[in-house]
Amino acid sequence: MNLDGIGVTSRRTRERLIAKLKDKGIRNAGVLDVMRSTPRHIFVDPAFSHLSYEDIPVNIGYKQTVSQPYVVARMTEAVLEAGPLNRVLEVGTGCGYQTAVIAPLAQEVYSIERIKPLHDKALVNLEQLGLTNVHLLHGDGSLGYAEKSPFDAIVVTAAPLGVPNELLAQLAHNGRLVIPVGGPAGQELRLITRHQEQFVSRLLDHVRFVPLLKGQVTN
Ligand code: SAH
């Protein structure tokens, strides 16, 4: 696998995406650098290579998508606002793109995916990138991962109808949860910050994610 990319996945194509992210308001230099160096083309089916560096979600099978780069950047930037991240939980690994973007910006990343073939795909993708601080789990992440809590950041990449209390409870003091909330017609991307037992919620954007579903799928 060519990690640098050629033609439609080349450095120049990636640079255009970074320019677009800046235009849309992404300012965090660390986030922009990681997005520049992350080969999004390895996360999409070769038939869709030409869409890898477009600012759009791309299908990955199983009725799921690899997230839109702008949304990945926005979510990552939001949880990094308060400073460096030690322990991060992601719910909804998909094929691992958001995981790959946040991993270089945190000490440890735990990521849970309910669909086994996608979890397997993410394992292969992230191994190729040599990321050693990522721990992928197959299972239902809607209740978080209490054993490894508290988390400095929880990034949810599938949408529940309401914010699960279990996720709030697993935030560290000053911890941040970024989560799309709402139904299939569209959701509010919310940033929720914990101050002791108080939770402050801020609207970041309007987005459209796949739903957060219960249970796990084995094939
Ligand atoms: N983070 C991915 C986004 C993948 S789409 C990226 O960067 O591209 C969202 C993913 O959330 C899907 O793969 C879906 O299967 C998964 N998902 C939905 N509900 C879940 C749950 N309860 N636990 C874990 N994963 C879930």
Side-chain angles (χ1 to χ4, degrees), residues 8-161:
V8 290
T9 62
S10 71
R11 196 161 295 253
R12 201 174 332 139
T13 315
R14 290 190 206 184
E15 213 47 64
R16 263 204 306 273
L17 172 62
I18 300 306
K20 199 168 287 174
L21 297 179
K22 285 184 185 162
D23 277 356
K24 289 186 172 178
I26 302 300
R27 290 284 168 265
N28 185 305
V31 173
L32 290 167
D33 282 347
V34 175
M35 300 227 21
R36 183 182 287 112
S37 61
T38 304
R40 190 167 181 255
H41 62 279
I42 73 163
F43 295 90
V44 307
D45 187 283
F48 296 130
S49 285
H50 60 293
L51 301 177
S52 320
Y53 298 97
E54 298 296 324
D55 191 23
I56 52 172
V58 180
N59 289 332
I60 52 174
Y62 309 93
K63 292 199 202 138
Q64 308 302 327
T65 59
V66 48
S67 295
Q68 180 188 350
Y70 168 73
V71 176
V72 170
R74 188 80 184 91
M75 291 172 90
T76 310
E77 186 171 74
V79 293
L80 275 167
E81 263 173 9
L85 299 170
N86 184 8
R87 198 181 285 236
V88 174
L89 173 67
E90 178 188 28
V91 179
T93 320
C95 59
Y97 179 61
Q98 165 79 72
T99 329
V101 169
I102 207 162
L105 301 165
Q107 291 295 320
E108 299 294 332
V109 179
Y110 296 85
S111 184
I112 311 180
E113 170 57 53
R114 67 186 286 276
I115 301 177
K116 179 76 164 54
L118 288 179
H119 161 78
D120 291 341
K121 228 184 228 191
L123 280 173
V124 173
N125 289 340
L126 296 173
E127 199 189 327
Q128 274 190 73
L129 299 184
L131 294 167
T132 53
N133 62 336
V134 170
H135 312 277
L136 299 183
L137 297 105
H138 171 229
D140 177 355
S142 57
L143 303 181
Y145 190 26
E147 297 92 303
K148 297 291 177 186
S149 70
F151 297 100
D152 301 307
I154 301 179
V155 176
V156 184
T157 67
L161 294 174

Side-chain angles (χ1 to χ4, degrees), residues 132-195:
T132 53
N133 62 336
V134 170
H135 312 277
L136 299 183
L137 297 105
H138 171 229
D140 177 355
S142 57
L143 303 181
Y145 190 26
E147 297 92 303
K148 297 291 177 186
S149 70
F151 297 100
D152 301 307
I154 301 179
V155 176
V156 184
T157 67
L161 294 174
V163 179
N165 283 330
E166 290 81 358
L167 297 183
L168 295 174
Q170 291 172 31
L171 282 177
H173 175 52
N174 288 330
R176 290 169 163 238
L177 166 66
V178 67
I179 185 166
V181 185
Q187 304 109 24
E188 292 188 340
L189 184 63
R190 297 224 148 246
L191 175 68
I192 299 170
T193 308
R194 179 174 198 165
H195 303 286

